[in-house]
Amino acid sequence: MAAHMNRMAAMEKELNKFLGSLDDSAGAVEKVLGAVNRIFGKKVKGRSGPKKPANAYILFTQEKRSEIVAALTDELGEKPSTGTVTKRAGEMWKALDSEGQAPYVQKRAELMAEFEAEHPDLVKSTRSSTPKSAFEFDRSTPEDMEVPDGWSPAQPRKYLKSNAAGITLGEGKFATLAEAIDAADALGSKCGGVTRTSRGFFLRKGNDAITETTAKKRETTWSWFKLDFEVPVEEEKPKKKVAKKAKAVVVEEEPRGAPAPNTTGIVEMPAAPADDDFDSDTEDDEDDEAEVSTWDHKGKTYLVNGEEGEDCDVFDFCSQEKIGRRVNKSGKWKLIKA
């Protein structure tokens, strides 16, 4: 519709040039435009109702447009096309870090708040159940965010384990720290703090901050936790004992003078290991500090509590919950899920 309206405006301008000498030029122009509209099956009409504010990227583009046009004109030696300007604006926006984008995100949030206050009856109609743009949240400097009494200062490059209320917006995921803290306080002992990632503010179960080891996530990960929070004590579950699989013994030819070889066809098996040889659910003693490292397997990153070349427990990278064991099978590492 916008493109059609632009074409019609340009056509009207040209018609006024050619028909300006006629006595009834206005009437002639109106008739020609009416005919063109009937041919194209379009009607020129204005937008009904107020328009919601532009998103953060559009606000950035509007502010930088003249600067981009001037720079491209110097580079190309001619005025750039709209597509070239848009492409350059997109490249500049993507090159900004979260701090660089924060002023435009904040401005958009302020404009949207004003729009919703002025048009409360249109709020639902302007929000889509399947949004086309990425979720927008407060990306300002975490160290400058205010926290209430009883909460820690911002913890850079730290995350808290396990989502406390899922990842649904408004339940376990929030756009601002203040909203997340209010929800965390309402959950009481079910939530120990808040972690901000590249996707928003999330409620987390624990309050033991863990250092983020993934380079790509370190700069976007921050946490805040309840200072007086105590993790609920759960009843200890009985441990399951799993015996190691017995390996077949290879029977080699005995030297002369040795007892006759086994010709019964029955391969002798070693005695079954004692129940306490291997415990799949046993964790290291609390006094021992486990050595944790990453393990890339089939395109996915896991955490393991052993060194390279060792059979060891395997944990989910995000939740840090144990999911199985890493074992060596015929010279290849395999993940045996619990």
Side-chain angles (χ1 to χ4, degrees):
M1 174 61 77
H4 176 69
M5 292 176 65
N6 291 336
R7 287 195 293 268
M8 293 299 296
M11 182 175 289
E12 182 177 1
K13 185 176 180 181
E14 293 299 319
L15 286 172
N16 281 322
K17 288 182 182 179
F18 289 109
L19 303 177
S21 60
L22 298 178
D23 293 335
D24 187 22
S25 62
V29 169
E30 184 178 351
K31 290 179 181 179
V32 173
L33 290 177
V36 172
N37 261 318
R38 286 192 296 275
I39 293 173
F40 284 99
K42 300 279 188 180
K43 292 184 179 180
V44 178
K45 60 181 181 180
R47 179 187 294 271
S48 60
K51 183 180 179 181
K52 69 177 181 179
N55 60 32
Y57 165 68
I58 297 300
L59 293 175
F60 168 81
T61 303
Q62 291 172 347
E63 180 181 305
K64 300 292 183 181
R65 184 174 181 80
S66 58
E67 177 185 324
I68 295 172
V69 170
L72 287 173
T73 301
D74 290 342
E75 293 176 18
L76 303 175
E78 59 181 2
K79 188 175 181 180
S81 65
T82 301
T84 304
V85 174
T86 301
K87 182 179 178 181
R88 176 62 60 85
E91 292 171 349
M92 292 173 63
W93 175 256
K94 290 180 180 179
L96 291 176
D97 57 15
S98 57
E99 281 192 38
Q101 294 180 359
Y104 305 97
V105 174
Q106 182 64 28
K107 180 63 176 176
R108 204 273 178 174
E110 293 172 357
L111 293 174
M112 196 63 192
E114 293 175 4
F115 176 83
E116 293 179 355
E118 294 174 4
H119 310 285
D121 54 325
L122 298 178
V123 172
K124 290 185 178 180
S125 64
T126 58
R127 289 179 177 169
S128 170
S129 59
T130 55
K132 296 181 181 179
S133 59
F135 170 64
E136 294 180 355
F137 61 93
D138 186 359
R139 296 177 184 268
S140 56
T141 304
E143 293 170 318
D144 296 336
M145 298 179 183
E146 294 185 3
V147 293
D149 292 339
W151 281 77
S152 73
Q155 306 293 307
R157 302 176 180 177
K158 301 281 187 178
Y159 67 91
L160 303 175
K161 289 178 60 176
S162 305
N163 290 316
I167 59 174
T168 302
L169 183 61
E171 296 180 7
K173 174 182 178 181
F174 297 88
T176 66
L177 175 62
E179 293 174 336
I181 286 180
D182 287 344
D185 286 337
L187 285 177
S189 62
K190 294 181 180 178
C191 178
V194 175
T195 290
R196 191 186 83 171
T197 70
S198 61
R199 298 181 294 118
F201 295 82
F202 294 86
L203 305 186
R204 296 297 171 93
K205 290 182 179 180
N207 71 333
D208 292 327
I210 303 170
T211 301
E212 177 57 69
T213 58
T214 304
K216 189 168 68 173
K217 298 179 181 180
R218 285 172 66 85
E219 300 307 318
T220 59
T221 302
W222 295 75
S223 290
W224 300 258
F225 56 84
K226 298 176 181 178
L227 296 175
D228 59 350
F229 178 76
E230 293 186 6
V231 179
V233 179
E234 299 181 355
E235 293 184 6
E236 185 177 357
K237 297 180 180 179
K239 298 177 180 179
K240 298 179 180 179
K241 304 290 185 178
V242 180
K244 292 182 179 179
K245 291 184 178 180
K247 297 181 179 179
V249 176
V250 178
V251 180
E252 300 180 353
E253 184 178 353
E254 296 289 343
R256 292 184 179 181
N262 184 355
T263 58
T264 61
I266 300 175
V267 179
E268 294 183 4
M269 304 295 287
D275 288 342
D276 58 356
D277 281 355
F278 171 64
D279 185 345
S280 63
D281 292 339
T282 298
E283 299 178 353
D284 293 336
D285 292 337
E286 294 181 359
D287 294 335
D288 295 333
E289 183 177 350
E291 294 291 337
V292 179
S293 59
T294 57
W295 176 46
D296 293 326
H297 180 62
K298 294 186 177 181
K300 189 172 181 180
T301 301
Y302 300 93
L303 292 176
V304 295
N305 66 349
E307 298 181 355
E308 184 177 356
E310 291 183 350
D311 289 8
C312 53
D313 292 333
V314 179
F315 303 85
D316 183 90
F317 187 87
C318 296
S319 66
Q320 303 218 351
E321 295 179 354
K322 180 180 174 181
I323 60 174
R325 292 275 299 174
R326 179 179 73 178
V327 298
N328 192 315
K329 297 271 189 174
S330 302
K332 295 183 179 179
W333 287 113
K334 290 191 177 182
L335 172 59
I336 308 299
K337 293 191 176 181

